[in-house]
Amino acid sequence: MRSIWNGAISFGLVSIPIKLVNATESHSISFRQIHTEDNGRIRYRKVCELEDREVSQSEIGKGYEDADGTIIPITDDDLSHLPIPTARTIEIVAFVPADRIDPLQLDAAYYLAAGGAPAAKPYVLLREALKRSNKVAIAKYALRGRERLGMLRVVGDAIAMHGLLWPDEVRAPEGVAPDANVTVRDKELDLADALMDTLGEVDLDDLHDEYREALEEVIAAKASGEAPPEAPEPAAGGKVLDLMAALESSVRAARESRGEPPTATEAEVRPLPSRAAPKAAGGRKSTSTARKTTTEKPEPARKSTSRTAQGTKKTAASKSTAAKKTAAEKSAAKKTTAKKTASRKRTA
């Protein structure tokens, strides 16, 4: 791999000669602008707007446009006097845990290759120190005319450097999150967890750019004079009205795609009823049936209540009969006593 920058890593008093190599490459397909009538290339020409003529590269310099539109020319000699100690040095300034780095700061990635045999020993020393500490190195370096921030970490047997955005270059997420008061139920979270567990992990090496592959097929077909392949119809998307139903359906689809049988406790998808159903005759019948079903369910409770009422009536009847018997007995006793008293008076 060809190096794009040569310098050294400054590690305290240790200096490690290195070469900077691009760690990534783009496989995206690029297009040229053409004249649609004859396929001629459309090119940009560098023209001076004051003289209205095309200028060569040797005539082009740098300039800063002020707020009022004034152009301030800046020469390479002006830039060479800037106090950039990291012009040819990757200066390590700290070692921090990897989770201290916000992924939003990550920029371009590079490999740091040892610059010759003398660099092998200090290179391996830094690599092993990073491994054992489970930390990453934060460094400053200069590339393409500006000072940058970087993060050094171990990748395999090599040291990689990620360019980092300066902290003030990362925007705060103000006004991004929903401002509505949303409540998420535990059951919804449980279904989301189940979906995450079902999808599981993936080997990133198995992922590929399907759009680029389809685009290559179109280009190959056009080059051979054939009709380009037709794109499949996109999946119909709709508004999610029932979040629970959508989550349950997603869990089921993920399990089916992996060939897993549905679980015994898996909830059935409950489609959200149409809003127009109550207006239609069918909707009214359905509502009426539902009401009937609701009133028919508590039959056992009614029977129990009825039996209780009957028992209460029997008890009340028994008490009434007993009371009548007692009154009759008292009346009979009184009559007997009165007869005896009258008999005694007559005898006397």
Side-chain angles (χ1 to χ4, degrees):
M1 290 185 284
R2 191 181 67 174
S3 63
I4 62 172
W5 183 89
N6 294 335
I9 300 175
S10 175
F11 178 32
L13 297 178
V14 179
S15 181
I16 311 172
I18 56 97
K19 297 178 179 179
L20 197 66
V21 178
N22 281 321
T24 62
E25 58 186 2
S26 175
H27 291 164
S28 61
I29 297 175
S30 59
F31 297 100
R32 303 287 188 184
Q33 288 189 332
I34 62 170
H35 187 201
T36 55
E37 293 185 3
D38 53 16
N39 293 344
R41 283 279 306 276
I42 303 297
R43 298 181 182 272
Y44 292 100
R45 296 182 177 180
K46 298 179 180 179
V47 176
C48 173
E49 61 180 19
L50 296 180
E51 299 182 9
D52 194 21
R53 68 176 182 87
E54 186 176 356
V55 296
S56 62
Q57 186 63 37
S58 60
E59 298 177 87
I60 299 175
K62 299 182 181 71
Y64 176 79
E65 185 174 1
D66 207 352
D68 60 358
T70 304
I71 300 296
I72 304 172
I74 302 294
T75 65
D76 291 338
D77 186 58
D78 296 330
L79 298 176
S80 64
H81 292 87
L82 290 176
I84 303 180
T86 56
R88 284 292 169 186
T89 305
I90 298 174
E91 181 184 355
I92 295 177
V93 296
F95 293 89
V96 300
D99 58 7
R100 286 270 305 276
I101 306 301
D102 189 341
L104 287 173
Q105 288 184 254
L106 294 177
D107 201 0
Y110 308 94
Y111 287 130
L112 303 181
K121 179 74 173 180
Y123 185 98
V124 173
L125 171 65
L126 176 59
R127 183 190 68 194
E128 295 305 313
L130 289 171
K131 276 185 182 179
R132 191 165 71 172
S133 67
N134 290 323
K135 292 183 177 181
V136 296
I138 303 301
K140 285 183 172 183
Y141 66 103
L143 182 65
R144 299 187 182 98
R146 54 175 291 218
E147 189 173 48
R148 303 169 188 262
L149 195 63
M151 177 189 74
L152 278 63
R153 69 183 183 96
V154 178
V155 177
D157 292 331
I159 298 176
M161 182 174 71
H162 295 269
L164 298 178
L165 299 175
W166 296 98
D168 60 357
E169 292 180 318
V170 179
R171 293 179 174 179
E174 296 177 358
V176 177
D179 56 359
N181 187 12
V182 179
T183 301
V184 178
R185 295 179 292 169
D186 289 339
K187 190 172 182 182
E188 293 169 338
L189 282 174
D190 292 341
L191 279 171
D193 290 340
L195 179 58
M196 293 168 64
D197 293 339
T198 304
L199 292 176
E201 297 182 358
V202 66
D203 187 352
L204 295 180
D205 292 335
D206 294 337
L207 301 179
H208 56 280
D209 188 348
E210 297 181 7
Y211 175 80
R212 191 192 76 217
E213 293 176 354
L215 187 57
E216 288 174 346
E217 292 180 3
V218 171
I219 294 174
K222 295 277 286 185
S224 59
E226 300 176 358
E230 293 184 3
E233 290 291 332
K239 197 182 220 181
V240 177
L241 297 178
D242 191 340
L243 181 58
M244 290 292 293
L247 286 169
E248 290 168 352
S249 180
S250 299
V251 171
R252 181 180 290 104
R255 285 177 179 160
E256 290 177 354
S257 67
R258 290 176 175 269
E260 298 178 7
T263 61
T265 58
E266 185 174 352
E268 295 184 358
V269 177
R270 300 181 301 278
L272 191 68
S274 173
R275 294 182 179 179
K279 295 180 181 179
R284 291 176 182 171
K285 289 181 180 178
S286 174
T287 307
S288 148
T289 306
R291 288 177 181 170
K292 288 181 181 178
T293 306
T294 306
T295 54
E296 289 173 3
K297 282 185 179 177
E299 282 184 359
R302 288 185 175 181
K303 290 180 180 178
S304 174
T305 306
S306 149
R307 289 174 183 173
T308 304
Q310 290 176 2
T312 305
K313 289 180 180 179
K314 287 180 180 179
T315 303
S318 300
K319 288 182 179 180
S320 176
T321 304
K324 289 178 180 179
K325 286 182 180 179
T326 303
E329 289 174 357
K330 286 182 179 180
S331 177
K334 286 181 180 180
K335 288 180 180 180
T336 304
T337 303
K339 287 180 180 180
K340 287 182 179 180
T341 303
S343 175
R344 286 175 184 173
K345 286 181 178 179
R346 288 174 186 173
T347 303

